[in-house]
Each structure stands twice: as C-alpha cells, then as structure tokens.
Amino acid sequence: MAQPSLRLSPQAAEQLMTLRQRRAAEARQLLSAATSQADQRLARLNHASQILSDHQTHQLQVQTKIAARAQNAPVSAVLMRRDHEHIEELARHEKRLEDGITQAERDVEKSRQLAAATRRLLMQYEQREKQARDLLERVLTEHRTAQEQREEQDIAELAMMRQRSGRLTRQRSTTSRFTLP
C-alpha cells in the first residue's frame, strides 16, 4: 500500500520536484568547479615539481663546475666567495621552491577533499530529487485515482437518479391510468 502523500496538491509536489532538480543542478555545477579547481591545482603542483627538478639539475651542474674549477687551478678568495654565495642563493631558491610545492600539495589535498564533499552532497541532492519525483508520481496517481473514484461515484449517482426517475415515471403512468378525472 502506498504511503499517504500528506494531501499535497500536484502543483506543490511539482514545485518540490523543481526545487530539488535545481538544487541537484547547482550541486553538479559545484562539483564541476571543484573538480576543475583540483585539476588546476594538480597541474600547478606538477609544474612546480618540474621547476624544482630543473633547478636541482642546474644546481648540481653549478656545483660540479665549481668543484672541477677548484681541482684544475688555484681559485682566488673573491672567486671562492662568489661561488659560495651563488651556491647559497641556489639553496635558498631550492628551499622556496620546496615550500611552494608543500603548499601546492596542501592545496591539492584541500581541493580533492572539497570535490569529494561536493560529490557526496550531489549524491544526497540526487537522492532527494528522486524522492521528490517519486512523491510527485504518487501524488499524481492519487489525484487521478481520486478523480476516477469521484467520476465513478457521479456515474453511479446518475444511474441511481435515472433509475428512480424511471420508477417514478412508471408509477405516475400506472396510477394515472387507474384514476378517473
């Protein structure tokens, strides 16, 4: 047996379903935006990782070049200080790049969590949309059934009225034949 529809009108059920459809559509848009944001942040992370890798390769080349130069000939104090400063600057730059990657990884994780939460929200809204659609179907079915029952009752009442009317007419014609004017 169907659950009662709480006497919702078909219009109210349609409005509820429309609202649920709108909410689900908004959640789909949010999911699309959250997924897109996660993809963009992942692309930035990959780019930052590539920059760090390139920087580390360059840093190794510089260190190798400095070491080779020191082995081949005596190096002046000025040149040694400049090489040392250059290596320190490369190390500071590497640290900044690593910090950027750490932040990018946190951003990617937050974006993924947001996308997952939005996906769960969308599933809830889609479930509510289905419930509203089912409710609308039930309300429309109840409304049609009630309308059909009213029509059947009206038909039955009309048939009874015709039957009574026919009896009264027969009674009048029978009684009028036997009565004298």
Side-chain angles (χ1 to χ4, degrees), residues 3-98:
Q3 296 176 344
S5 64
L6 304 175
R7 302 290 180 221
L8 275 178
S9 70
Q11 295 81 10
E14 285 176 9
Q15 288 174 346
L16 178 63
M17 189 181 77
T18 301
L19 174 66
R20 300 298 172 134
Q21 287 173 331
R22 240 184 274 136
R23 292 249 170 91
E26 289 169 357
R28 283 184 201 94
Q29 289 175 342
L30 286 174
L31 178 59
S32 176
T35 304
S36 176
Q37 182 184 46
D39 291 344
Q40 289 171 359
R41 288 183 174 182
L42 182 60
R44 280 190 222 126
L45 173 61
N46 291 337
H47 182 70
S49 296
Q50 183 59 47
I51 289 172
L52 176 62
S53 177
D54 293 346
H55 174 76
Q56 288 170 335
T57 301
H58 172 71
Q59 187 175 6
L60 185 60
Q61 289 170 347
V62 167
Q63 289 173 341
T64 304
K65 182 178 146 187
I66 290 171
R69 189 175 45 203
Q71 286 180 346
N72 293 338
V75 180
S76 71
V78 172
L79 187 57
M80 278 180 80
R81 188 177 59 232
R82 191 173 58 192
D83 288 345
H84 181 70
E85 288 172 357
H86 187 87
I87 290 173
E88 284 180 348
E89 178 55 37
L90 289 173
R92 284 191 299 273
H93 187 65
E94 180 181 27
K95 176 70 172 122
R96 286 191 301 272
L97 289 173
E98 288 171 346

